[in-house]
Amino acid sequence: MNACFSWRRAAIVLRKECLDAFRDRRTLLMVLLPPLLAGPLFLMLIFNLIATQSERAQTLTLAVLGNAHAPALIAFLERQQVTLKPLPDDYENQIRRGSIDVALIVPPTFPDDVAAGRAASVQIVYDRSRDRAQVAIAQTESLLNAYGKEWGRMRLLLRGVAPEVAAPLKVEAVNLATPQQSGALLLSLVAFYAFFATLTGGMAVALDAGAGERERQSLQPLLITPAQPAELVTGKWAAAAIVNALVVALTMAGFYLTLRFAPLPAVGMPFLFGLAEVGRFSVALLPMALLLPALHFYVGIRGRSVREAQASTSVLLLLFSLLPIAQMLLQQREPGWIAAVPVAGHYTLLTHALRGEALAGIDIAWAYIVPLALLLLVLIAAAQRLNREARL
């Protein structure tokens, strides 16, 4: 930053900022406790949701109208362990309210169509907008399709035609995904949560070191000390980065301990987040854990108050958190150059780590080169900002 830079004075500023951060135990508790508790709670909610959906898939309840018109269909559903119940008169309102997931209506013309050899029709009624009904809807459609295929095979056999004539193509699916990769599809939310912890972990300390000092009118006395602006910036940033790294470490520890020791419901799919995944996560998150506190601090020293700095930081958080969400929703193959894009490249590394894949050396290199270069630029800009204030 300049020729007079002293690491000793920067270390003194770091010690002062760490004492300020750790002296306020109530604020520190609010910074460190949520990551340790929210991660396990988050995982438990995910596992309970999956277990609930699996249980609903195993115990399908179907409201039926017109059972007498299709006894063979009703018998097929009963053989598949489907619980059948009468369809109430106000079934449409009950479906909209969520009291009924899906209803099956067999019209009176069903027996006549069957006798004439025509395609008989049934009607299923549901509300696709209700998430909890998705499993029941998909299972009902699958059962009806299976019954239709079985019925078609029997019709061909009765006419002396081999069923294979109507199905000349036999498709055999080969799934190359390992059990860990299958579980990683759902644990991608863990990657987003870990990255979000990196975004917010050191924010309070960084904003307080900038906007908080200015609001308490303690920033100007620091500027007239022998410490250079570059040394002040380095010490304050390092303190915020230490707290940020601690928050990220607690978040990953919560994930690891929950998946390893917590009594989570069985979901029939392994979710691996062992020490190897913790190590890969640490490698991927470290550069952003260093860069983001510097950005928060720079935003803080530009604000006239903590409230103004928090408003500016909220915009920064929104922009940074939208990139991983966009990657999850687009479901497209990432181009090679995305490794050099901060946030996007790091989130890609996190998803690779969850899938149990080795992190490519070139991707790790880009994940460190670009954020560290930006970190240096942000620290220089912050030092120049404080230098201008010191001259006023």
Side-chain angles (χ1 to χ4, degrees):
M1 306 237 183
N2 62 51
C4 300
F5 184 89
S6 169
W7 287 107
R8 179 176 175 274
R9 287 195 292 264
I12 293 174
V13 176
L14 169 61
R15 180 174 179 272
K16 174 258 181 191
E17 293 297 330
C18 287
L19 287 176
D20 289 344
F22 287 93
R23 185 181 294 119
D24 189 354
R25 296 181 180 179
R26 180 178 299 179
T27 302
L28 186 65
L29 187 65
M30 295 302 296
V31 171
L32 299 181
L33 191 59
L36 188 60
L37 298 180
L41 179 62
F42 179 70
L43 281 179
M44 288 181 181
L45 290 175
I46 292 179
F47 271 73
N48 283 312
L49 175 62
I50 298 172
T52 301
Q53 294 289 358
S54 300
E55 183 180 353
R56 291 177 63 84
Q58 296 173 1
T59 58
L60 175 62
T61 300
L62 189 61
V64 183
L65 176 64
N67 306 46
H69 304 319
L73 173 59
I74 299 302
F76 172 81
L77 294 175
E78 290 176 342
R79 288 196 302 272
Q80 303 303 317
Q81 307 300 316
V82 178
T83 302
L84 304 178
K85 66 177 184 179
L87 185 67
D89 295 335
D90 61 338
Y91 66 91
E92 292 187 356
N93 291 330
Q94 292 198 34
I95 290 174
R96 292 190 182 99
R97 292 196 305 265
S99 302
I100 298 176
D101 292 333
V102 60
L104 174 65
I105 300 177
V106 183
T109 57
F110 189 93
D112 297 334
D113 293 334
V114 173
R118 297 189 296 266
S121 63
V122 296
Q123 186 179 46
I124 54 175
V125 185
Y126 52 78
D127 184 354
R128 183 75 75 176
S129 65
R130 303 192 66 85
D131 292 337
R132 66 183 300 272
Q134 299 301 322
V135 174
I137 295 170
Q139 193 171 2
T140 302
E141 292 175 338
S142 176
L143 287 173
L144 292 177
N145 288 332
Y147 178 73
K149 291 179 180 179
E150 181 180 325
W151 191 5
R153 288 172 55 88
M154 295 301 297
R155 279 188 169 182
L156 291 174
L157 287 173
L158 288 174
R159 288 165 174 76
V161 179
E164 288 76 12
V165 174
L169 180 63
K170 185 178 181 180
V171 179
E172 296 182 358
V174 180
N175 185 7
L176 297 180
T178 64
Q180 179 176 355
Q181 291 171 343
S182 300
L185 294 175
L186 293 172
L187 279 188
S188 60
L189 294 174
V190 171
F192 176 76
Y193 188 91
F195 185 79
F196 193 76
T198 310
L199 280 173
T200 60
M203 182 176 65
V205 176
L207 293 182
D208 183 73
E213 294 269 17
R214 175 177 282 109
E215 198 169 46
R216 293 190 300 270
Q217 298 183 354
S218 58
L219 183 60
Q220 289 300 328
L222 284 176
L223 294 176
I224 62 176
T225 62
Q228 299 294 321
E231 297 160 356
L232 292 173
V233 168
T234 302
K236 289 175 176 291
W237 158 75
I242 289 173
V243 174
N244 199 30
L246 183 58
V247 169
V248 175
L250 288 175
T251 301
M252 291 190 294
F255 288 146
Y256 171 76
L257 294 174
T258 302
L259 288 172
R260 187 170 181 84
F261 301 109
L264 298 173
V267 295
M269 187 181 299
F271 293 87
L272 301 182
F273 193 78
L275 295 179
E277 286 72 28
V278 170
R280 294 189 184 104
F281 263 50
S282 301
V283 170
L285 291 175
L286 179 59
M288 296 306 294
L290 297 177
L291 172 61
L292 291 167
L295 290 173
H296 292 319
F297 176 70
Y298 181 71
V299 171
I301 62 173
R302 291 181 61 89
R304 292 184 294 270
S305 64
V306 175
R307 181 177 298 179
E308 180 181 341
Q310 287 175 339
S312 301
T313 305
S314 63
V315 178
L316 186 68
L317 292 177
L318 177 63
L319 293 176
F320 274 66
S321 60
L322 281 179
L323 280 175
I325 295 176
Q327 285 179 266
M328 285 191 294
L329 297 179
L330 288 177
Q331 296 292 313
Q332 294 181 355
R333 180 179 176 83
E334 294 89 353
W337 52 261
I338 202 171
V341 180
V343 181
H346 295 82
Y347 181 76
T348 301
L349 287 178
L350 294 180
T351 56
H352 288 330
L354 283 175
R355 292 170 59 87
E357 301 172 356
L359 304 183
I362 184 64
D363 293 343
I364 296 176
W366 280 117
Y368 274 78
I369 292 173
V370 177
L372 293 182
L374 291 175
L375 170 63
L376 182 60
L377 293 176
V378 172
L379 292 180
I380 292 174
Q384 291 176 345
R385 179 82 181 187
L386 288 185
N387 192 36
R388 288 195 298 268
E389 293 192 17
R391 293 175 180 176
L392 296 178

